[in-house]
Amino acid sequence: MLCSTKSPAIFPDMDPGIWSRLPEELLDHVLVFLPLKTLLNLRSTCKHFRSLIFSPSFMSKHSSSGSPFSSFLLLSHPQFHHRYSLYDSMLGTWRNFSLSLSILLPSAAAAARSHSSTLLSSSNGLLCFSLPNSCSFLVCNFLAKSSRVLEFPSYPFAFESLTFVSTPFGYKIFVLCSKFSSISAFIYDSRVSSWQTLHNLEPILSDNCHPEGVFFNGSLYYTTPEPFSIVCLDLESGKWKRFGNELPEELTFVRLVSDGEGKLYMIGGIGRNGISKMMKLWKLGNGGNWVEVESLPEMMCKKFVSVCYHNYEHVYCLWHQGMICVCCYTWPEILYYKVSRKTWHWLPKCPSLPDKWSCGFRWFSFIPELCASV
């Protein structure tokens, strides 16, 4: 039996001259298939890679190449000490890494300010924090490691409700602030980097109820306490409008959520004397009426109302990747409705949460986007 004495083939390094003559569109096509972690490591190698990776056209190609970004439900809780745990909704599991605000603040002084920061809202790949010690908001993109500090529109500045809306062309921050017998609305537009003020709005919301507004068809929608009603603030005219059609009877609480694509949903409890016997989901129909979509199964309803202790001021809702999430400040799990499957589920408790936990659970939809500009 003869054995080959030839040495293994040696592949010489690619001639740099060949790489330098490679058309950019071919190189870009190769980069599209790299994993996200590798792409992020390439940012510091040259200006071309950095500008390419952050371009919307490249990110669109990367997402359609079979390497999509994950989407997360982000949990904020006082016992996490300004770190935020992530539930990967694509893989259906908690991830073993967390986000920290300190990586975005460039100096030690800024890092000190982060100890008093509060996560207020999220939209696509952007998060909005309040930094009261510096009288400002912080808008950041964790994936791109970019941030912008926005000074409060006035001093002192006490606000009751903030809504954060990100679009392909920038973002807007809507803040409601009560003063005496009127309400002022402050609107920040990232495209012009300035605040607009709407003064002397009718105080249609009660003093003790300032929920986060739901952005739908160019207006901010809110629910009022009993007698329950839906009102909206037209951002063009600065006027309130009451939703004309009647709501379902025997409501114990009501919340709104929008899918961002032209559909408005309503979640509410049905019962008497503040005790919910069932929970239902409705969708706004073409004629402006509420169409019942689904009822929460009895056992799941009993669990939810028990963990809320029938205190529905603690209940809030959000939309996340085809899921309507019903949350409670006092409970570490999320009740969610999968719209495409028409099924209800419980999200498992975060494993890093201490055995003895306190109230204060805040959930946010977090969909990382490199090209989401601050």
Side-chain angles (χ1 to χ4, degrees), residues 147-201:
S147 61
R148 176 185 291 189
V149 175
L150 311 175
E151 291 187 359
F152 288 163
S154 63
Y155 303 95
F157 186 64
F159 59 93
E160 292 83 13
S161 172
L162 180 143
T163 304
F164 183 52
V165 179
S166 175
T167 70
F169 308 104
Y171 58 85
K172 290 186 177 182
I173 300 175
F174 308 94
V175 183
L176 291 183
C177 178
S178 297
K179 288 185 178 181
F180 306 109
S181 60
S182 66
I183 294 178
S184 295
F186 297 88
I187 306 173
Y188 180 85
D189 190 337
S190 67
R191 293 176 297 179
V192 294
S193 300
S194 65
W195 290 92
Q196 174 191 1
T197 306
L198 302 177
H199 288 299
N200 300 320
L201 299 177

Side-chain angles (χ1 to χ4, degrees), residues 1-189:
M1 181 175 179
L2 297 178
C3 296
S4 174
T5 58
K6 292 183 179 180
S7 300
I10 299 176
F11 297 96
D13 293 337
M14 176 80 71
D15 185 346
I18 297 177
W19 279 108
S20 65
R21 294 194 298 271
L22 186 68
E24 284 192 4
E25 60 268 20
L26 291 182
L27 179 59
D28 295 352
H29 184 71
V30 173
L31 295 176
V32 159
F33 294 94
L34 292 177
L36 174 59
K37 184 177 181 180
T38 304
L39 282 175
L40 296 178
N41 291 334
L42 284 175
R43 290 180 300 174
S44 59
T45 59
C46 70
K47 293 182 179 179
H48 171 71
F49 283 168
R50 181 175 179 81
S51 61
L52 171 70
I53 291 170
F54 282 91
S55 67
S57 60
F58 180 82
M59 296 314 306
S60 176
K61 293 177 182 177
H62 185 270
S63 297
S64 61
S65 68
S67 302
F69 296 116
S70 292
S71 62
F72 303 96
L73 283 163
L74 183 152
L75 174 60
S76 170
H77 189 267
Q79 289 175 264
F80 286 154
H81 304 292
H82 299 285
R83 298 184 67 84
Y84 307 95
S85 296
L86 299 171
Y87 180 83
D88 191 323
S89 57
M90 294 182 67
L91 299 179
T93 183
W94 287 93
R95 300 295 291 267
N96 59 0
F97 61 87
S98 59
L99 300 177
S100 175
L101 184 60
S102 60
I103 64 174
L104 295 174
L105 299 175
S107 65
R113 291 200 303 267
S114 72
H115 292 295
S116 62
S117 65
T118 301
L119 179 56
L120 300 176
S121 188
S122 67
S123 185
N124 296 327
L126 300 179
L127 301 177
C128 181
F129 295 83
S130 172
L131 303 177
N133 287 356
S134 60
C135 300
S136 59
F137 296 112
L138 175 72
V139 177
C140 62
N141 183 331
F142 273 99
L143 189 60
K145 294 185 178 180
S146 59
S147 61
R148 176 185 291 189
V149 175
L150 311 175
E151 291 187 359
F152 288 163
S154 63
Y155 303 95
F157 186 64
F159 59 93
E160 292 83 13
S161 172
L162 180 143
T163 304
F164 183 52
V165 179
S166 175
T167 70
F169 308 104
Y171 58 85
K172 290 186 177 182
I173 300 175
F174 308 94
V175 183
L176 291 183
C177 178
S178 297
K179 288 185 178 181
F180 306 109
S181 60
S182 66
I183 294 178
S184 295
F186 297 88
I187 306 173
Y188 180 85
D189 190 337

